[in-house]
Amino acid sequence: MNSQLRQQIIDAFKFRHACKSFDARKKIPDEDFGFIMEAARLSPSSFGFEPWKFLVIQNSELRDKIKPVCWGAQGQLPTASHFVIILARKETSMHYGADYIQNHMRNVSKLPEDVVKMKGDFYREFQLQDFKLTESPRAMFDWACKQTYIALGNMMSVAAQIGIDSCPIEGFGRDKLEQILVAEKMMVADEFGVSVMVAFGYRENEPFEKTRFAEEDVIEWF
Ligand SMILES: Cc1cc2nc3c(=O)[nH]c(=O)nc-3n(C[C@H](O)[C@H](O)[C@H](O)COP(=O)(O)O)c2cc1C
């Protein structure tokens, strides 16, 4: 592999940091934000069922409304060029018997009927036996949330590669935030819950130096 490209990608990973506040005067160009969202949309998911939705919150009144319940986004909400709430699907749509799953296989993946049946059987066994996801609605929701973090990682990584800063955000009261989103008709509570949020923009201050465990502390070879 081209060592220059490798270095370029590692430099982007070093450039990325959890940006606490952005330069509010700088807006991400539409094409760049579209590129970030395309990385989200193309992200992998278990069985390919895309258990997510991305709410892009650009309305400043809405940002003010959610700010009191988002303790981890106090500096980011007022300054981010773009702010995304990532929703994850709940049991009502992710259960092996759900219409959403059947529809996805037939109309999104466009699978032939015999494959729909075979994949559906695998999915049922996976949920019942392998991962025991039907044990509780919470297990199913947390499983969907895990997958949204793949999209989250991809979004932040590609943003860094084009010089855009970001911050992942779990600092919010889920119940209260969901109540606001439902009241604003931005989310249907039976279908979705809030997984995680992410802010994008351009840094206002230089970050602290990055610290991590040494390679030998976290990677073991056998
Ligand atoms: C899932 C997740 C949730 C996080 N939530 C918040 C948050 O609510 N507010 C915040 O300022 N930073 C948040 N962070 C940022 C982390 O504190 C940060 O990534 C970590 O300290 C490592 O620093 P670095 O990202 O600058 O390398 C979160 C990070 C992750 C991965």
Side-chain angles (χ1 to χ4, degrees):
M1 188 196 179
N2 177 334
S3 69
Q4 223 178 334
L5 177 58
R6 212 160 38 208
Q7 190 56 47
Q8 224 173 301
I9 294 170
I10 286 297
D11 286 347
F13 274 74
K14 289 183 175 165
F15 169 87
R16 191 215 55 78
H17 70 290
C19 189
K20 304 297 175 193
S21 68
F22 301 92
D23 181 341
R25 292 161 304 183
K26 291 191 186 160
K27 286 278 162 274
I28 299 172
D30 289 348
E31 319 80 74
D32 287 351
F33 189 69
F35 169 70
I36 294 168
M37 293 315 296
E38 190 61 350
R41 195 179 70 87
L42 294 175
S43 293
S45 56
S46 186
F47 287 83
F49 285 139
E50 309 176 74
W52 47 52
K53 192 158 264 184
F54 304 89
L55 307 182
V56 185
I57 314 294
Q58 297 308 83
N59 180 311
S60 56
E61 282 166 28
L62 267 177
R63 288 197 193 180
D64 289 345
K65 214 169 254 183
I66 66 172
K67 194 167 166 243
V69 301
C70 298
W71 56 266
Q74 294 297 296
Q76 295 90 347
L77 268 171
T79 60
S81 166
H82 289 70
F83 194 91
V84 184
I85 299 178
I86 307 182
L87 304 182
R89 286 192 171 273
K90 290 184 175 173
E91 194 173 34
T92 44
S93 44
M94 294 318 291
H95 189 275
Y96 62 82
D99 288 347
Y100 171 85
I101 296 299
Q102 295 300 316
N103 179 61
H104 195 287
M105 288 193 284
R106 293 197 171 88
N107 300 320
V108 181
S109 301
K110 302 201 186 308
L111 301 176
E113 272 316 301
D114 56 328
V115 181
V116 167
K117 166 87 178 69
M118 204 168 62
K119 184 170 174 175
D121 288 347
F122 263 111
Y123 187 55
R124 186 184 64 232
E125 282 310 290
F126 169 77
Q127 290 206 321
L128 290 175
Q129 305 298 334
D130 298 339
F131 268 48
K132 304 205 182 335
L133 297 176
T134 51
E135 272 181 359
S136 74
R138 182 63 195 252
M140 191 76 82
F141 177 63
D142 285 346
W143 172 68
C145 284
K146 284 200 288 189
Q147 297 172 57
T148 69
Y149 282 67
I150 301 173
L152 168 72
N154 286 339
M155 292 162 85
M156 295 190 298
S157 296
V158 301
Q161 288 183 48
I162 56 169
I164 292 173
D165 289 304
S166 62
C167 187
I169 295 159
E170 272 181 343
F172 55 87
R174 180 179 271 153
D175 292 347
K176 287 184 176 149
L177 179 58
E178 289 181 353
Q179 277 166 18
I180 296 170
L181 299 183
V182 169
E184 295 290 329
K185 300 196 176 0
M186 295 162 66
M187 188 187 96
V188 177
D190 284 351
E191 230 179 325
F192 289 101
V194 176
S195 173
V196 64
M197 314 193 291
V198 54
F200 295 98
Y202 299 95
R203 66 190 67 187
E204 192 173 36
N205 305 305
E206 282 311 305
F208 296 118
E209 201 181 329
K210 210 176 262 313
T211 60
R212 290 294 189 268
F213 274 123
E215 191 180 318
E216 59 273 21
D217 295 327
V218 291
I219 303 172
E220 294 186 15
W221 286 71
F222 299 98

